[in-house]
Amino acid sequence: MAEQISLKSSIEVLKGVGQKRAQLFHKLGVDTIYSLLRYYPRTYIDYTSYLPIAEAAVGETCTVRARVFRKAPEARIRKGLSLFKVFVTDGENDLVITIFNSKYMYEALQLDREYVFHGKVTGNFFQKEMNAPSFVPYQAQMEMMPVYSLTEDLSNKVIASTVETALKLIEKSVFDPLPAAITQQYQLCHFEYALRQIHFPQNAVALDTARRRLIFEELLTLQLGMLLLRSRNRKQTAVQLRDSRWEAFEALLPFSLTGAQRRAIAECVHDMQGRLPMNRLVQGDVGSGKTMVAAALAFVLARNGYQTAIMAPTEILAQQHYQTFTGIFSKTGLRICLLSGSLAKAVKQSETEKIAAGEYDIVIGTHALIQDSVSFGALGLVVTDEQHRFGVAQRSRLAEKGENPHLLVMSATPIPRTLGLIIYGDLDISVIDELPAGRQKVITMAITSKKRERALRFIREKLDNGLQAYIVCPLIEEGESDLKSVETYAQELQKGPLNGCRIEVLHGRLKPKEKDAVMQRFQSGETQLLVSTTVVEVGVDVPNAVIMMVENAERYGLSQLHQLRGRVGRGSEKSYCILVSDHPGEENRHRLSVMCKTSDGFQIAEEDLKQRGPGDFFGSRQHGLPELKIADMTSDMDVLRQTQALAKELLSEDEGLSRPEHKGLRRLVSLLYAQNKGQLFN
Ligand code: ADP
Ligand code: MG
């Protein structure tokens, strides 16, 4: 071949791929031969093993080998719908193959020839059927066929044959991005073998070998990227604490700090005395008192002449932090500012000017704080609260503000340890594993709506005794389904069982000012019951609230329920969490029973991971982590650990992956993180 074809070539060099088809492939993220070969099958049809028809269970997807013994003539059911029936046998039992509208398929099945069929078995025990199965002619050496995720107008067959063409073109000596030392040490197959087998496996063992290698490569790449990201964020900081004493802070509080809080504060203060910026996560269950850690640090920073920025995910939380901080620091002369989205333009303008002039020591706000328009006079520390709402990319944007300020993220979402390694791979971690003294365990019960009335009477009792409660229900507005809206729900309570109680509603559609007002009235005790959507989920702190009732509890993940439950049990009164669900499913029952049994956030997170997969934790890529093609966070944990150790080792020997043997790895990392627009290499 005269023209040099490489992995970088556009797929248009392949036979059968014109401009139009290339555009369809583009939709799948496939442009080059390399990306085509990296477009792994979603699954496989394994024609290498099949069952006797007798063992193919109705309702299951099965593979059977059978011979065609009769072909019924085409039956026209109505205009535009033809039905073809083909009768096949394995010698013992028969099966009816039904094909709709495809004369082509019908004709492909020849009388007296053997085929292997793959599809869902329907019909009944006496007469089994398969509708529109996949099939291939039977031969001595059967294969596993790849099944790809498709896009409109691009069939599985076209993708498979395009991949096949590409595989024929690439040379045996294709460059392996993994260094030979690694493939040898971990007994991984060669890149080229892996690519061939992942698309067209000879058998299950070969597929396994290929998968293992590709998973290893992917997770290694991911970890290298995380570590590089971390070191990139670690340019020297200009913010070094000279005065690191913080004991005076504790004297400002009405309580003494827990050991875990002290430890976390000390770890942070220690970090901030170094030449590199702190990059730390404080993880602690709901109610463990993370806010005090932030306050203590802001105190230290202010004493050293630096500003602290505190970002909360919602206006309500920002507001709450503002109140907490102004309360604690009322006698210290620290200057605190709330930069809220609802400020009038002129006020905002003057506040931002003051921030820039360094006239505030502590600035509290929402995400808006990282907007480019806000600049700081002497930013020393950025705290992001409830960090699971912030992504990796946002974190690094923050780091760009000021002169490499210290960074502290606080999260109440317990993340299974192993997942934490990935999500927070770029952070050091402090765990607050101790609740303030005197906290009582929240009593949790799961009920059906039959017992709702009783539950409401119970709530009424508590309200009458001067305590407060939340009821969470899913929807803002009527319609969509028969689920109740917050508004209607509140009205019904007001008219009926909670007649005379002071009830208010809270939901995401309220204007920030209205939300604040509602929250304020609840916080002050003016409102007794808050009927809300999950906007109360994160961080809201009202110690006098003792009941959290959740309607349609089946709609929430365990971690989310745990967060909701964390809104109560914050004072010294006994608290209750009531989960209402009429959902009959076994899985739901199990989930709710987990909630009733344990209050350990980490255990709940592990359970959530098991049941719902990592999607919840990674939620629509909001963490800014690259999307994985083949590795699975829940089942490939061993490889994850292996590759994590290896990644550290590699970078300790070759900081920028600049040695020639690491060229391939370096390229893999750039490719994986390309969507992040992260400049991992200088
Ligand atoms: P979270 O970790 O969920 O953010 P908060 O910081 O909101 O928790 O604290 C929850 C409640 O516990 C607040 O009312 C706070 O004042 C209180 N608190 C924090 N630390 C202590 C402590 N050491 N002793 C007693 N109460 C504390
Ligand atoms: Mg909090």
Side-chain angles (χ1 to χ4, degrees):
M1 206 174 304
E3 202 184 334
Q4 190 84 48
I5 290 183
S6 74
L7 290 178
K8 282 188 201 143
S9 307
S10 154
I11 52 168
E12 284 189 54
V13 303
L14 298 174
K15 227 199 210 136
V17 182
Q19 210 181 2
K20 196 154 160 248
R21 207 162 255 180
Q23 266 164 17
L24 294 175
F25 271 107
H26 178 76
K27 281 196 205 159
L28 298 173
V30 171
D31 296 302
T32 58
I33 294 190
Y34 180 82
S35 54
L36 175 68
L37 295 178
R38 289 287 193 182
Y39 195 70
Y40 307 139
R42 180 168 58 79
T43 180
Y44 303 84
I45 298 178
D46 186 356
Y47 289 109
T48 63
S49 65
Y50 28 80
L51 296 169
I53 292 171
E55 284 174 34
V58 173
E60 303 276 311
T61 298
C62 298
T63 310
V64 300
R65 171 181 159 191
R67 184 176 53 81
V68 177
F69 70 91
R70 189 160 85 82
K71 292 175 76 173
E74 174 174 357
R76 284 186 184 275
I77 299 191
R78 57 182 153 78
K79 198 159 181 262
L81 182 60
S82 296
L83 188 80
F84 302 91
K85 281 190 185 282
V86 176
F87 298 82
V88 302
T89 178
D90 62 1
E92 302 275 335
N93 293 282
D94 300 350
L95 179 74
V96 184
I97 304 290
T98 311
I99 297 167
F100 297 100
N101 272 358
S102 176
K103 191 154 194 160
Y104 169 80
M105 294 270 229
Y106 175 71
E107 282 173 355
L109 288 170
Q110 293 173 25
L111 213 52
D112 269 337
R113 293 261 319 253
E114 264 193 305
Y115 298 87
V116 181
F117 298 94
H118 174 89
K120 188 169 172 183
V121 182
T122 56
N124 55 45
F125 180 78
F126 301 102
Q127 184 58 74
K128 289 177 182 167
E129 299 179 17
M130 260 189 201
N131 294 332
S134 313
F135 59 87
V136 291
Y138 171 74
Q139 56 193 40
Q141 186 77 51
M142 290 306 294
E143 287 174 342
M144 296 176 75
M145 299 299 284
V147 178
Y148 297 93
S149 299
L150 306 177
T151 178
E152 234 172 297
D153 300 328
L154 201 54
S155 70
N156 198 61
K157 215 165 160 183
V158 168
I159 298 179
S161 74
T162 311
V163 170
E164 207 172 0
T165 314
L167 281 171
K168 279 196 189 115
L169 277 178
I170 65 164
E171 294 165 49
K172 277 265 183 263
S173 59
V174 56
F175 172 72
D176 191 333
L178 288 185
I182 292 179
T183 49
Q184 266 159 31
Q185 188 185 345
Y186 293 90
Q187 304 192 341
L188 304 169
C189 68
H190 191 273
F191 185 47
E192 191 253 351
Y193 177 85
L195 284 183
R196 287 184 198 280
Q197 295 299 323
I198 202 72
H199 290 284
F200 302 104
Q202 271 162 355
N203 51 48
V205 177
L207 174 60
D208 220 50
T209 309
R211 276 181 53 86
R212 200 175 91 76
R213 136 96 211 203
L214 295 172
I215 288 169
F216 189 98
E217 179 193 291
E218 186 167 56
L219 289 177
L220 178 63
T221 308
L222 180 77
Q223 312 260 0
L224 284 170
M226 287 309 278
L227 292 175
L228 285 163
L229 209 58
R230 172 179 176 147
S231 63
R232 180 192 60 164
N233 287 343
R234 293 211 152 184
K235 296 196 187 99
Q236 285 206 14
T237 178
V239 185
Q240 251 163 296
L241 300 186
R242 282 166 306 279
D243 184 352
S244 62
R245 286 170 302 161
W246 56 274
E247 290 71 16
F249 168 77
E250 206 168 343
L252 302 171
L253 305 176
F255 43 72
S256 41
L257 293 171
T258 64
Q261 282 171 317
R262 288 199 191 114
R263 213 176 318 122
I265 295 168
E267 281 167 350
C268 293
V269 169
H270 178 79
D271 282 359
M272 292 191 286
Q273 289 170 275
R275 282 173 40 246
L276 296 176
M278 167 168 77
N279 214 9
R280 186 171 283 276
L281 167 73
V282 169
Q283 199 174 39
D285 218 334
V286 279
S288 59
K290 292 180 291 294
T291 316
M292 292 307 132
V293 176
L297 300 183
F299 176 81
V300 179
L301 267 286
R303 282 174 64 136
N304 282 268
Y306 291 110
Q307 292 169 296
T308 297
I310 298 183
M311 306 205 310
T314 62
E315 290 275 346
I316 292 178
L317 265 187
Q319 174 85 38
Q320 183 181 291
H321 283 332
Y322 179 71
Q323 277 165 6
T324 308
F325 277 67
T326 43
I328 296 173
F329 294 122
S330 60
K331 296 193 193 98
T332 60
L334 289 198
R335 298 154 303 174
I336 306 171
C337 155
L338 176 66
L339 200 63
S340 149
S342 56
L343 287 183
K345 214 169 167 192
V347 181
K348 197 165 184 176
Q349 174 77 29
S350 78
E351 293 289 65
T352 30
E353 275 164 21
K354 282 186 177 168
I355 295 169
E359 287 173 31
Y360 281 117
D361 302 297
I362 301 173
V363 180
I364 299 172
T366 60
H367 298 225
L369 277 186
I370 55 168
Q371 273 166 13
D372 296 327
S373 60
V374 186
S375 66
F376 291 79
L379 185 60
L381 168 67
V382 178
V383 180
T384 72
D385 193 14
E386 302 303 346
Q387 112 80 27
H388 59 294
R389 306 264 160 134
F390 292 98
V392 173
Q394 278 164 306
R395 282 210 291 272
S396 40
R397 245 184 102 186
L398 266 174
E400 285 154 18
K401 283 212 171 281
E403 295 190 58
N404 296 308
H406 299 288
L407 186 60
L408 179 71
V409 292
M410 308 199 293
S411 174
T413 307
I415 302 245
R417 236 187 61 75
T418 34
L419 272 189
L421 290 181
I422 305 175
I423 298 180
Y424 302 128
D426 61 332
L427 301 172
D428 297 309
I429 301 185
S430 296
V431 178
I432 303 190
D433 51 5
E434 182 187 350
L435 293 180
R439 286 284 163 76
Q440 303 194 32
K441 217 171 130 172
V442 177
I443 296 171
T444 305
M445 46 206 152
I447 63 171
T448 62
S449 57
K450 278 198 200 116
K451 290 201 178 144
R452 183 185 289 117
E453 243 175 83
R454 257 172 74 186
L456 289 173
R457 276 205 299 277
F458 183 62
I459 291 180
R460 162 135 227 162
E461 217 174 274
K462 296 288 172 194
L463 300 188
D464 288 346
N465 286 331
L467 297 166
Q468 290 165 282
Y470 301 93
I471 299 183
V472 167
C473 59
L475 289 183
I476 300 172
E477 276 168 26
E478 214 68 23
E480 193 188 333
S481 68
D482 51 1
L483 295 166
K484 286 213 175 84
S485 79
V486 226
E487 302 276 359
T488 335
Y489 190 95
Q491 280 160 17
E492 283 175 16
L493 291 179
Q494 191 82 76
K495 274 185 251 152
L498 298 184
N499 195 322
C501 296
R502 299 184 302 276
I503 305 174
E504 286 211 73
V505 296
L506 181 71
H507 54 74
R509 295 268 179 84
L510 292 178
K511 295 207 187 77
K513 268 211 173 105
E514 296 169 331
K515 265 195 238 171
D516 287 351
V518 172
M519 242 4 258
Q520 218 135 46
R521 285 193 291 273
F522 189 65
Q523 228 146 15
S524 71
E526 200 181 321
T527 304
Q528 296 172 285
L529 173 71
L530 198 59
V531 177
S532 169
T533 57
T534 50
V535 288
V536 292
E537 178 192 341
V538 174
V540 174
D541 182 40
V542 180
N544 193 47
V546 294
I547 299 182
M548 165 60 71
M549 177 156 126
V550 184
E551 292 280 357
N552 298 96
E554 73 277 358
R555 291 173 59 114
Y556 305 100
L558 284 178
S559 296
Q560 208 177 356
L561 288 175
H562 182 64
Q563 279 282 332
L564 286 171
R565 176 166 61 184
R567 296 310 107 223
V568 296
R570 299 184 149 241
S572 50
E573 287 285 333
K574 202 151 208 45
S575 295
Y576 304 84
C577 173
I578 305 172
L579 306 171
V580 187
S581 175
D582 289 331
H583 195 281
E586 181 55 39
E587 194 192 309
N588 183 51
R589 280 236 308 275
H590 174 71
R591 274 160 29 82
L592 298 186
S593 77
V594 169
M595 286 299 297
C596 296
K597 266 185 266 174
T598 177
S599 54
D600 178 342
F602 283 91
Q603 207 177 325
I604 286 171
E606 296 280 356
E607 189 73 31
D608 224 6
L609 177 65
K610 244 189 271 165
Q611 287 177 9
R612 317 220 305 186
D616 271 14
F617 297 99
F618 287 102
S620 65
R621 287 217 252 141
Q622 60 179 331
H623 294 284
L625 281 176
E627 201 173 7
L628 298 181
K629 288 195 165 124
I630 189 164
D632 174 348
M633 303 292 179
T634 44
S635 54
D636 299 322
M637 285 302 170
D638 289 343
V639 185
L640 188 64
R641 275 185 216 107
Q642 262 181 349
T643 50
Q644 194 182 39
L646 177 60
K648 278 193 183 144
E649 196 183 307
L650 283 170
L651 291 179
S652 74
E653 285 164 14
D654 181 11
E655 208 180 352
L657 288 182
S658 44
R659 288 193 201 151
E661 69 268 29
H662 293 154
K663 193 174 128 202
L665 277 176
R666 196 182 147 105
R667 200 152 62 206
L668 284 179
V669 176
S670 312
L671 275 173
L672 187 65
Y673 283 81
Q675 70 206 47
N676 250 2
K677 306 206 169 31
Q679 296 288 309
L680 289 177
F681 301 103
N682 304 315

